[in-house]
Amino acid sequence: MSAENIYKGSCFCGAVEFDVTGDPIVMGYCHCESCRHWSAGPVNAFSLWAPDAIEITKGEDNILTYNKTEMSYRKSCKTCGGHIYTDHKPMQLIDVYPAVLVGLTFEPTMHVHYQETVLHMSDGLPKFKDLPEQAGGSGELIEE
Ligand SMILES: [Zn+2]
Ligand SMILES: [Zn+2]
C-alpha cells in the first residue's frame, strides 16, 4: 500500500477534531443560495471525498446535523457553530470545507451552480450553470 495523505481538521473551537484520508475527488466553488446562506459568505469552497474518508477523532457527540433537504446533511459544532462538513447522502459524497483542513492545497477545477452567483470570478475555470452531468446536473456551462 502506498502512503496515503492524512489531513487534520477541527471546528472553530477545537471541540470536534477529525482526520480526512486520501485525496479529494474534486475541488471547486459552489455559488448556490443554500451554500451562501449556510456559510454566510458570497461563495463556498468545497472538496468532495468518499464518505468513509472522514474519521471523527474527538467530540463526535458534539456534532449538530441539520438537513434542509435530503441532498445535504450539514454538520457543525454544537459549541462554536463552526462548520465541519456536509454529507451529500444521495450522491454518496461528503464535502469537507477546505478551509478547516490543515495542509490541503486547494486546487479548484470548477464552479457549480454559477447561475445563482452573486460574486463573479474570472479565473478561466469552467462555470457550470448547475452541476456537471456526472453529478446529475445539466452539464451546461456559463460564460465568465
Ligand atoms: Zn467547535
Ligand atoms: Zn451549494
Side-chain angles (χ1 to χ4, degrees):
M1 269 179 69
S2 61
E4 287 194 290
N5 292 318
I6 299 177
Y7 301 100
K8 297 217 169 281
S10 67
C11 66
F12 190 47
C13 74
V16 180
E17 293 179 356
F18 47 93
D19 289 344
V20 183
T21 302
D23 294 299
I25 296 161
V26 63
M27 295 190 273
Y29 302 96
C30 185
H31 295 256
C32 84
E33 198 278 336
S34 288
C35 280
R36 278 189 275 122
H37 214 145
W38 164 252
S39 69
V43 63
N44 193 39
F46 65 82
S47 70
L48 297 179
W49 307 71
D52 61 0
I54 194 165
E55 184 188 354
I56 308 299
T57 54
K58 181 183 162 194
E60 183 138 33
D61 58 1
N62 211 48
I63 295 176
L64 175 77
T65 301
Y66 175 74
N67 68 302
K68 193 175 200 176
T69 68
E70 284 304 307
M71 178 59 87
S72 301
Y73 287 72
R74 297 173 188 269
K75 313 273 186 178
S76 60
C77 170
K78 288 179 184 172
T79 304
C80 69
H83 297 173
I84 302 165
Y85 71 104
T86 295
D87 189 350
H88 296 301
K89 283 180 191 277
M91 294 164 72
Q92 299 203 353
L93 291 170
I94 59 166
D95 171 10
V96 186
Y97 306 117
V100 302
L101 292 176
V102 176
L104 177 70
T105 303
F106 182 57
E107 293 174 329
T109 58
M110 66 174 71
H111 295 254
V112 299
H113 294 297
Y114 203 69
Q115 64 182 343
E116 300 178 43
T117 193
V118 296
L119 180 69
H120 290 269
M121 298 165 82
S122 299
D123 56 8
L125 294 175
K127 312 279 187 308
F128 287 95
K129 181 182 166 200
D130 41 73
L131 292 169
E133 282 182 59
Q134 311 92 285
S138 69
E140 277 182 56
L141 292 168
I142 291 178
E143 294 284 317
E144 275 191 348

